Amino acid sequence: MLRSSVSNTASVAPRAHVRVYEALRGRQTLSQPQLAQITGLSLPTVIAAVERLERNQLIKAVKAQRGAGRPARTVRVTPETNAVLGIDLGGSSVRAALFDLHGTRLRELETMSLYSFSKLSRASAMEHLSVVTKHFPEARRVGICAPGIVTSFDALERSWLFGLKTLERRAVELLLGLPVILENDARSAAWGELRRGRGTDNFAVMIFAFGIGAGIVAAGRLLRGARGAAGELSYLPPDISGFSSQPRMGALSYGFFEALRAASPDPNAPNWEAEIFHAAARGQKRAAKAVQSAVQHLALAVAGIITVIDPERIVLREEFPHTKELVLEPLRAMLEGIGLPAPLEISSLGRDAGLIGIALLCAENLERELLKNMRRILCLVRMGACSGFLRSLFCFAHCPL
């Protein structure tokens, strides 16, 4: 009788390991018979899929509980073996944290002020990224979010952090020696809110710390636009005069910060904007007037988002002190005053939204790639085994008796 030489690994259906992995994800432990029952796969197929997942360090066996008879082999997902590094390049600091494959934060680092980064060279920024990454040797992939336009994860353009220079993904990968994804800070915050915060299938996150921008989620997916510039509200003109004199950072953002700057004794000092908000909360008239004027510029951006995408919710990242009373409540009154819905909420993640979002994007990207590579290998193994079987048939048919 002619026997096929197809191995256990080759006999695994290309998506069987994905079904086993998805069944384990979100659960603490499962035995192989339980996995067979949940997935509807045969026990031999589950055993082969488990072996494959273990070899790729996506799951591992755990000590089975003692009971009557032979204990069933029990396994669990091991997200900690495939850690990713999230880096948030902000206007005042670089924040980095190591996350496991399921988005659990393992440890973090906050480092030097970036307040003068726009005056530094792109090379200095790259060097700082390298120094930060060396603190996390366990990372298998790096996600970086920053203000600017990100084109298909390949380059960060028009970011004031680097003097409006371009930061290419490939150049960063060569420097760090790791795969890298780049994303805009507002979209990263939106993804963080969607996965861990107050996001819904149709919502937007508004940020206004160093420019006015929105991260938009439509039908559960990030909206990037044809050129990666979706949500770049900074470039909206506040009136028709903005078309003839567009500042580098965008007319709307320029108007927002100019309004605050009018009440600041030293607009070159770090955290000067926060001081204005503190003063306004204390009742200082000049500061209160400046904040009110700034919020009017922000209202133009929020009104634009509401009328264009009709979001279920708009989440405001708490950029400055007293955001609820000085920003959210006046914004709501302005919008309702012109007959627009005002589904505004303060972020539950705060300044962590972008860092969590870029880490989750990076982890999901790595997880998909690991499973995709396994499928590709399994398909190749099956093709190889099948071709070997056909060669055996050909030889059997043509060999002389």
Side-chain angles (χ1 to χ4, degrees):
M1 181 178 177
L2 185 64
R3 293 179 181 270
S4 168
S5 60
V6 179
S7 65
N8 281 343
T9 298
S11 66
V12 180
R15 291 195 59 85
H17 66 281
V18 178
R19 288 164 66 180
V20 169
Y21 183 79
E22 290 297 332
L24 277 168
R25 210 178 189 282
R27 294 179 171 91
Q28 293 208 343
T29 60
L30 287 173
S31 67
Q32 291 180 148
Q34 287 173 325
L35 283 168
Q37 185 178 8
I38 291 169
T39 61
L41 299 169
S42 68
L43 186 58
T45 300
V46 166
I47 291 170
V50 163
E51 288 175 359
R52 190 77 192 173
L53 288 164
E54 279 188 286
R55 267 201 298 276
N56 284 271
Q57 297 185 320
L58 284 166
I59 67 173
K60 74 173 184 179
V62 294
K63 193 173 181 180
Q65 293 182 349
R66 292 186 176 276
R70 185 178 177 182
R73 195 160 183 268
T74 307
V75 292
R76 73 170 179 87
V77 172
T78 55
E80 66 276 5
T81 60
N82 291 289
V84 299
L85 176 61
I87 300 177
D88 183 0
L89 291 178
S92 58
S93 66
V94 176
R95 300 181 65 228
L98 192 73
F99 291 77
D100 70 19
L101 208 56
H102 292 175
T104 302
R105 194 178 322 206
L106 304 176
R107 58 192 180 88
E108 62 184 291
L109 171 74
E110 185 163 354
T111 184
M112 68 171 274
S113 170
L114 281 181
Y115 192 79
S116 59
F117 243 40
S118 58
K119 300 175 184 176
L120 296 177
S121 67
R122 173 180 166 279
S124 299
M126 295 277 281
E127 182 182 353
H128 197 67
L129 283 172
S130 177
V131 170
V132 168
T133 304
K134 285 175 182 175
H135 283 84
F136 302 94
E138 315 97 306
R140 293 191 58 181
R141 188 157 300 200
V142 179
I144 301 169
C145 69
I149 297 172
V150 175
T151 55
S152 303
F153 299 115
D154 284 328
L156 178 67
E157 299 177 356
R158 301 180 73 174
S159 177
W160 59 267
L161 278 181
F162 312 108
L164 300 183
K165 299 281 195 315
T166 297
L167 187 70
E168 303 89 355
R169 177 183 60 82
R170 185 60 184 149
V172 181
E173 286 183 334
L174 290 172
L175 175 73
L176 304 182
L178 290 168
V180 169
I181 69 167
L182 298 175
E183 188 52 279
N184 169 268
D185 56 346
R187 283 198 289 269
S188 296
W191 199 250
E193 288 290 344
L194 180 66
R195 294 297 200 212
R196 295 285 190 272
R198 292 183 170 161
T200 66
D201 280 348
N202 294 281
F203 84 107
V205 169
M206 295 294 302
I207 64 171
F208 47 96
F210 299 93
I212 297 174
I216 303 166
V217 171
R221 300 181 67 179
L222 279 177
L223 183 63
R224 294 189 170 90
R227 287 165 287 276
E232 289 292 329
L233 302 170
S234 287
Y235 296 97
L236 286 174
D239 52 49
I240 58 173
S241 65
F243 288 103
S244 58
S245 57
Q246 181 79 266
R248 289 197 315 166
M249 72 182 302
L252 205 59
S253 288
Y254 183 79
F256 179 89
F257 289 105
E258 279 299 295
L260 294 177
R261 206 170 273 119
S264 175
D266 184 9
N268 293 315
N271 301 316
W272 64 270
E273 303 98 328
E275 294 303 319
I276 299 296
F277 277 80
H278 278 306
R282 292 194 301 267
Q284 189 184 98
K285 289 184 179 179
R286 189 181 177 194
K289 186 178 178 181
V291 170
Q292 183 184 28
S293 178
V295 171
Q296 287 172 344
H297 284 81
L298 185 60
L300 290 171
V302 176
I305 285 290
I306 290 172
T307 55
V308 172
I309 68 167
D310 187 24
E312 182 182 344
R313 183 176 297 164
I314 293 181
V315 178
L316 301 180
R317 198 169 73 177
E318 198 163 6
E319 308 289 6
F320 303 118
H322 314 287
T323 295
K324 183 178 180 182
E325 58 267 34
L326 294 179
V327 179
L328 185 143
E329 290 171 1
L331 264 180
R332 183 173 284 144
M334 290 179 200
L335 294 168
E336 290 174 348
I338 60 172
L340 287 177
L344 304 174
E345 293 190 23
I346 299 293
S347 167
S348 61
L349 301 179
R351 63 196 294 258
D352 281 348
L355 185 63
I356 292 170
I358 191 62
L360 289 172
L361 281 169
C362 196
E364 290 163 16
N365 179 280
L366 175 58
E367 190 175 53
R368 277 195 307 270
E369 187 170 302
L370 288 169
L371 292 171
K372 183 179 177 182
N373 287 343
M374 286 179 62
R375 279 202 305 272
R376 186 181 295 122
I377 291 168
L378 284 169
C379 286
L380 289 172
V381 170
R382 285 167 65 88
M383 287 170 63
C386 194
S387 62
F389 176 63
L390 291 173
R391 280 197 300 271
S392 299
L393 278 177
F394 179 83
C395 292
F396 179 76
H398 290 82
C399 66
L401 293 176

